């Protein structure tokens, strides 16, 4: 490891040859696309190259590489999850008129929204406050995880389902 720190290419190749299978195995376990996995592995080796002089214990190199590989692959996976594929036909180019929203979709969305808020109004005052707090999607609202606990969300959703079932008109039943 000292030789690699001093610029010995042979020592660096020996480190890479010894630990590359473990780094690749961990990167493959994250099921990233091939290009992203290769980028993550290259980032791991770049990090090692930058931090090699600071590593004091050569016997901990493998553990360090495992931790860094997991961190890099996890960040890469999180980045990929944030990317949402967009149909190019739905993009507005600015040269033509804006696409007209489907009237039926707009109506159904408004109807679902109204039905949800009717169900919320049927809840008790505390549950109503929690539900509105939970559904607040304004830009300055705190993240959901900071606004309600998992039990509050689960109980709230259960009560909302019950309330929706009560407010939903019975389908298929005709009035005489």
């Amino acid at each position: 490891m000292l030789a690699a720190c001093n610029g010995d290419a042979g020592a660096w190749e020996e480190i890479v040859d010894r630990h590359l299978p473990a780094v690749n195995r961990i990167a493959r376990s994250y099921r990233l696309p091939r290009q992203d996995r290769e980028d993550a592995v290259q980032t791991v080796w770049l990090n090692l190259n930058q931090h090699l002089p600071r590593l004091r214990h050569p016997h901990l190199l493998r553990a360090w590489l495992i931790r860094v590989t997991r961190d890099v692959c996890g960040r890469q996976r999180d980045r990929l999850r944030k990317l949402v594929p967009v149909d190019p036909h739905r993009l507005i180019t600015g040269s033509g008129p804006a696409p007209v929203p489907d009237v039926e979709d707009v109506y159904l969305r408004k109807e679902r929204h109204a039905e949800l808020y009717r169900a919320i109004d049927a809840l008790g005052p505390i549950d109503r406050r929690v539900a509105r707090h939970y559904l607040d999607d304004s830009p300055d609202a705190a993240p959901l995880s900071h606004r309600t606990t998992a039990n509050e969300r689960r109980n709230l959703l259960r009560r909302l389902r019950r309330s929706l079932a009560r407010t939903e008109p019975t389908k298929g039943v005709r009035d005489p």
Side-chain angles (χ1 to χ4, degrees):
M1 199 162 90
L2 285 174
C5 288
N6 294 331
D8 183 5
W12 175 257
E13 287 177 14
E14 184 180 324
I15 290 173
V16 171
D17 289 341
R18 183 180 313 138
H19 298 287
L20 184 61
V23 170
N24 280 333
R25 186 175 51 253
I26 293 167
R28 277 192 309 274
S29 73
Y30 279 81
R31 300 185 195 275
L32 297 169
R34 185 180 55 82
Q35 297 88 351
D36 294 320
R37 185 178 65 237
E38 290 172 357
D39 287 347
V41 170
Q42 285 181 347
T43 302
V44 169
W45 295 119
L46 178 64
N47 285 343
L48 177 61
N49 190 20
Q50 292 172 345
H51 291 91
L52 194 60
R54 291 187 235 153
L55 295 176
R56 303 279 183 241
H57 305 287
H59 66 281
L60 296 177
L61 177 61
R62 183 176 177 85
W64 186 89
L65 281 170
I66 289 170
R67 182 181 53 81
V68 169
T69 304
R70 288 180 179 154
D71 289 347
V72 169
C73 290
R75 281 193 303 269
Q76 187 72 16
R77 182 183 56 201
D78 292 344
R79 251 184 254 121
L80 286 174
R81 284 183 181 162
K82 291 179 183 175
L83 296 176
V84 179
V86 176
D87 181 11
H89 299 293
R90 298 191 75 194
L91 296 175
I92 299 174
T93 60
S95 59
V100 178
D102 185 19
V103 176
E104 187 176 347
D105 286 341
V106 171
Y107 175 78
L108 290 174
R109 192 175 317 117
K110 285 181 182 179
E111 192 65 30
R112 278 192 307 268
H113 186 267
E115 187 177 346
L116 175 64
Y117 277 89
R118 278 193 301 271
I120 289 173
D121 289 339
L123 296 173
I126 293 174
D127 291 333
R128 199 175 12 227
R129 182 186 55 82
V130 171
R132 288 195 176 122
H133 194 61
Y134 178 68
L135 294 173
D136 183 14
D137 61 351
S138 61
D140 57 337
L144 286 178
S145 59
H146 297 331
R147 290 188 268 165
T148 58
T149 65
N151 283 340
E152 283 178 322
R153 288 190 296 270
R154 188 173 27 256
N155 291 334
L156 174 66
L157 289 174
R158 200 174 292 138
R159 284 188 219 105
L160 273 175
R161 279 190 203 105
R162 281 189 219 125
S163 180
L164 279 170
R166 283 192 305 263
T167 60
E168 191 175 283
T170 54
K171 296 177 183 171
V173 176
R174 295 183 199 169
D175 290 332

